[in-house]
Structure formats: C-alpha cells, structure tokens
Amino acid sequence: MRKLALSDEILLSIEKPARYIGNEVNSVMKDKDKVEVRFAMAFPDVYEIGMSHLGIQILYDMFNRREDVWCERVYSPWVDLDKVMREQKIPLFALESQEAVRAFDFLGITIQYEMCYTNILQLLDLSQIPMYAKNRTWEDPIVIGGGPCTYNPEPLAEFFDIFYIGEGETVYDELLDLYKSSRAKGVSREEFLLKAANIEGLYVPMFYEPKYHEDGTLKSFGPVREGVPSTIKKQIVKDVTNAVYPEAPVVPFIKATQDRVVLEIQRGCIRGCRFCQAGMLYRPTRERDVETLKEYAKTMLKNTGHEEISLSSLSSSDYSQLKELVDFLIKEFKGEGINISLPSLRIDAFSLDVMSQVQDIRKSSLTFAPEAGSQRLRDVINKGLTEEIILEGAGQAFEGGWSKVKLYFMLGLPTETEEDMKDIARLADKIARRYYEIPKEERHGKCQITASSSFFVPKPFTPFQWASMYTCEEYIRRACIVKHEFQEQLNRKSLKYNWHEADVTVLEGVFARGDRRVGKVIEEAYRLGCLYDAWTETFHNEPWMEAFANTGVDIEFYTTRKRELDELLPWDFIDIGVSKNFLKREWERAMEGTVTPNCRVQCSGCGAAQFGGGVCYEGKN
C-alpha cells in the first residue's frame, strides 16, 4: 500500500481530495531505487486544469519510456490545502510516489499563461526550494521551465535554473544524460549548468546579464561567462508524425476541464494573424499523417474509456486531411456514443456539415472569432475574414438548424477607432438580422447572439510586440462604448455582450513584455498573498498595485509607453526562426491596413523555412 502524503483527516476537510491522491488509470508507477533520475513535472494551477494539458501528457509519456527516469506529476494545491500545508509544514509532494518534490532531481514547470506566475512561487515555496536559483545547491532539484511564456522568460529569470525554449521532444534526452554523467563525476551544480547552457535550446539565466539606459530601456543583454551562446535557438520537431505521443494518457479521477482524448492533428498555423503569438512561435506548420491519427484515435479511446475525442490544433480547418479523418471517426465510432469535438474551425460549408453530424444542434452553439467589428480593423490584424464570409457562414448555420452563436472580439487593438468599437455591436446585429430573414416556420427557436470581448495584450514575437496598451480605465471606457452601442441595435433582445477584466489585462501586459526587474514585483505580490491570479474568485488587484508601489516598478513603462522599432527587447536573444525584420515588415503592413496572404497561398519569407520542414517545403520536393 502506498502511504499518502496527506492524512485522512486532512483529505476529508478539503474540497476534492481526489486532486491529491494519484494512482489514476494509466499513471506510471516505478521503483524509485531502480531509476537514476526523478523528474517532477508541475503545472502551476489546480489539478483539473493541469490534467487537461497535452504538453505535460507528452513529456510524462516520453520520460517514462526511459527505464532510468521516473516522471511524476505535481499541481498547485488549491487555496484550502495551501493553507493547511503551510500551517502544518507539509512539503509539496508528487502524486505518484506521494514523496516530497525537494527529493527529486528535477522540478519541471510548464508556463502556459502569465497569470500563473505567483503559483510558480507557491510551488517553490511549498517544496521548500530556495526561491532564487543562485541560492540553490545539489540538495535542491534543478528547476526548469518550458511552455509558451518562456519565449520571454525574463520576469521569471532569477527563479529558474534553466528554461527550455521550444518543443520538449528534442533535447531533453541530452539534458538528462548530461545530468547523470555530471552527478557520476561529482561536478559542481554550476559546472553542470554551464554545460547545460551549451545544449541548443537551453537558456540558463544566471550566465546572462541585462544592462539598462537611464530611461529604463534595455542597453545590452548577453552572456557573462565565456563559452555561453549569445543566442538561444528554439527547438522544433520536424517530423510530428513520428514524434512521441501518449497512447495511454492518465485518466483523472474527477472531471477535468477537458475530459477527453486529445488528438493533436498539426502544429503551427498558416494564417499569420498579427496579434497571435502561437501562430508565430509554432511556425512552420507541420501536419500529422492521417493514418497515424486514425490508429491513435482507436488506441487512446480503448486505453482511457473516454467518450469524447477532440481534434486539437490552432486552426483545424487548415488540416489538409480533415475531411478524411472526420469521416473515419464518424463511421468508426458510430453507435458507440463517442462525441467528436472540433475546436478552432473556420465557419464554412464543410465545417458546418461536419458539426451537424457530430453535434446536437438544438443544444450547441457555434463559435466565431471575427476579433474585430470592422473590415478595416480585421485587415490591420490580418484576420483574413470578410464580413461577407462571416454573414454567409452565419446564414448557412441558421439554415442548418443553429440558433445560438458566440462571437469573440478584442478591444484595444492598434489603430482602433470609436467606429471600430461600435462595429462590434453592429456586426452582431447584422448576424441576428440574417437569422430573422429565414421564414418564421423554418426557424429553430429564439436567436441568441453572445458577443464577448477581451482586451488586446501585445505579445513577444508578434508584429504587435511594439504596440502600446491602454490604462485600466481606458479599457473599461471602450467596453462601455460597445455596451451602449449594443443597446442601440434593432435586435438588442437577441444580443448579449460581456467583457474580460481590465485590471488583469494590464498585469498580463506587464508580464508578457517585462524584463528582469518585474521579478521582484511578482515576489512581492506573492508575499502579499497573491495566488491563483488567473481565477476571478481569487484575483485581487489591490495587493498587486501595492507590490508595484513597494518595489518602485512603473506599470506604464511596460504597458502604455511607445516603443521604437529599433529598441532592444528583453526577448531579442531568442531566435524563433521568424525574423525581427519580418515582424517589423508586418507591423508596417498593419499600419497600412495591408493583408498578408496565408503560408499556403504565398510564402512571405518569415524565416521559418530555416527549420527545413513543414508547410515551407510542402509540394516543393
């Protein structure tokens, strides 16, 4: 019998004890005395969110295929258990062995979104690992970060030993082998990190130093040790079809956010929306072979007992074998009660046809993401959607039996005018109007259009990385303009409008483009009690504002300030393949309102062809 880290008394006193006991179906158990490397893979959010993350499932599977490694999972304890662990001095533990994280060789933390930064400090603190990398010894695990937020690692730089830049399937084996040989030879921790810094794709912050101009902008950034590379190159998997994929993912005991089999059909996106970081980071677009995906679908459903399969990608409609794959899934699992979910589809005749086959139309709503209300602004952001396409898609959906539509927009985009804001409400009304053009007897219930707007956050490695943000008050003013315009519309009874929190947006903007000086704000906010900032019910803006005041860090330096195109940016030392010249060119095209065709229509010379694969080489061999 495994000994649980928490007593029955504690488990019975907290919400959802199943988050902490491990031993789920397909979880990997090994004899700790027979492995050489123990790796704790952490997601800095609650179990249900972390269990839905594909990246961790892939790495968990990949590490555990090695006989010399045991990878276990760790999630942030929810606020109730967090309190108990502090009071009773219970160290953070991994689910499989229930043993303290501090006893592991590695603590890997996936960093998926900016608002989890205080949870990262919670993981370190509860694990009793020194907060700062410089204070750690061989008694502590090597703390390594990966995921999309590591493309600007600087706000978190001093808390991590290593950042892994890129896709995890490439150089981890090399790092684990280096660790084993370093420990066998008895080298110092620093010497090990120095060697790790020379593995392509690994960034070891302690060997780099930023210097600043008097106005606070970055003057220089580079290595302070000889033999350390000045540029870190993103790692990508050229052949995604033959890359490791978890055929028996762990099945959670309680309902996770995405309780289903996930089939990653492709990586990357051909579209080139100028606000979208993932679309730039994961270039070039690489497809998984359809026959391989069919086999995965059968195996994974059998190994998990899930009743839903989701096709995952940034833009599923652009997967060239989508029709064949969906037809296969419908036919193969007919009568077995398996749902097929297709997120991120463009709304066209094919997509609607597919959705009508796999969804209960009466219950489901369709989701469009026009992002901007006016055609002018959609051209600025390179959305590649015309009003005609949107209304045509909506019309086909209504005629096909749908009556509920969700629309996603962004407010605060570069060059946005008051007319652009009002056009959000006008576009929603035009869609409702299209519904009422259908003869009354052919309609399916009451029409319901729900429009939501988030506020735009400029992200590193996008053409909008130079864009200025607005203050919290200005975002709310913009949302009020849109809300008022909704109330003026003819079909207002069929329309609903809501918006994202503005104060969270401002913080996201600081972390997304912050430098090392932002680290002390995150530490101070954590000290003041900030935790689970991505959750509305646990987010508190006041202690964050107090943290900025206490540390003397100016929010507006990172948000509203105008950046010149030649300014040295905190993430410029990372090479993602997409060149800075391409991003500048796209910024200038945005200012002119010029659309750039997608990668399959025409290569725009972004630089990702240097990786030698994917869409850049399709049909050219």
Side-chain angles (χ1 to χ4, degrees), residues 114-115 117 152 155 506-514 518 521-522 544 548 558:
E114 288 83 4
M115 298 314 291
Y117 287 4
N152 177 20
V506 170
L507 286 177
E508 262 183 71
V510 175
F511 305 147
R513 295 190 294 178
V518 171
V521 183
I522 298 166
W544 274 107
F548 279 99
Y558 298 100

Side-chain angles (χ1 to χ4, degrees), residues 332-584:
E332 182 75 14
F333 304 112
K334 201 181 172 80
E336 289 184 35
I338 302 290
N339 291 327
I340 302 164
S341 79
L342 294 145
S344 58
L345 279 181
R346 295 171 85 79
I347 304 299
D348 53 27
F350 165 67
S351 305
L352 292 166
D353 177 50
V354 168
M355 283 188 269
S356 65
Q357 292 179 65
V358 300
Q359 287 183 357
D360 181 341
I361 292 171
R362 287 163 307 172
K363 293 180 192 162
S364 61
S365 58
L366 273 184
T367 303
F368 285 95
E371 313 291 3
S374 69
Q375 192 56 51
R376 184 199 75 77
L377 198 49
R378 280 195 296 277
D379 291 346
V380 166
I381 64 177
N382 207 44
K383 184 64 192 173
L385 262 188
T386 63
E387 188 169 291
E388 189 185 358
I389 292 170
I390 294 167
L391 295 177
E392 174 68 22
Q396 288 175 347
F398 295 145
E399 280 154 19
W402 273 276
S403 58
K404 297 189 206 111
V405 173
K406 287 181 187 164
L407 300 168
Y408 289 114
F409 296 96
M410 271 189 278
L411 276 173
L413 285 160
T415 79
E416 182 180 72
T417 65
E418 197 162 309
E419 282 305 297
D420 295 321
M421 298 172 218
K422 291 179 174 177
D423 276 341
I424 290 176
R426 293 167 191 157
L427 180 61
D429 187 67
K430 282 175 189 168
I431 292 171
R433 214 174 293 177
R434 180 68 185 79
Y435 182 79
Y436 293 114
E437 284 170 13
I438 298 171
K440 205 167 188 177
E441 62 279 5
E442 290 171 30
R443 291 178 205 157
H444 297 257
K446 193 172 170 286
C447 172
Q448 190 190 324
I449 314 283
T450 306
S452 306
S453 63
S454 59
F455 298 110
F456 162 68
V457 176
K459 295 285 175 99
F461 297 110
T462 65
F464 287 170
Q465 65 181 2
W466 293 279
S468 299
M469 289 179 71
Y470 297 101
T471 60
C472 189
E473 296 71 26
E474 175 59 20
Y475 285 126
I476 292 166
R477 186 187 77 83
R478 289 175 183 239
C480 289
I481 289 171
V482 180
K483 187 173 174 60
H484 183 263
E485 191 64 23
F486 266 93
Q487 288 156 357
E488 300 294 306
Q489 298 308 305
L490 183 68
N491 297 295
R492 58 186 169 274
K493 285 188 177 159
S494 302
L495 309 176
K496 197 174 154 202
Y497 175 63
N498 47 54
W499 65 86
H500 186 62
E501 300 102 324
D503 41 14
V504 173
T505 301
V506 170
L507 286 177
E508 262 183 71
V510 175
F511 305 147
R513 295 190 294 178
D515 49 41
R516 273 197 199 185
R517 295 169 295 189
V518 171
K520 59 188 177 189
V521 183
I522 298 166
E523 186 186 11
E524 178 67 0
Y526 174 70
R527 197 185 63 76
L528 293 169
C530 291
L531 198 61
Y532 281 103
D533 299 300
W535 294 67
T536 307
E537 66 262 43
T538 44
F539 172 73
H540 303 290
N541 199 47
E542 300 74 25
W544 274 107
M545 294 306 103
E546 197 182 323
F548 279 99
N550 292 355
T551 53
V553 172
D554 176 17
I555 293 177
E556 298 202 354
F557 176 81
Y558 298 100
T559 53
T560 59
R561 175 174 70 85
K562 184 181 188 304
R563 288 162 173 77
E564 299 301 332
L565 290 183
D566 60 358
E567 181 179 323
L568 182 64
L569 303 170
W571 51 91
D572 277 346
F573 69 97
I574 296 172
D575 174 12
I576 68 156
V578 174
S579 72
K580 198 170 182 182
N581 281 339
F582 168 75
L583 297 175
K584 283 179 185 171

Side-chain angles (χ1 to χ4, degrees), residues 102 171 409 612:
R102 190 159 186 244
V171 298
F409 296 96

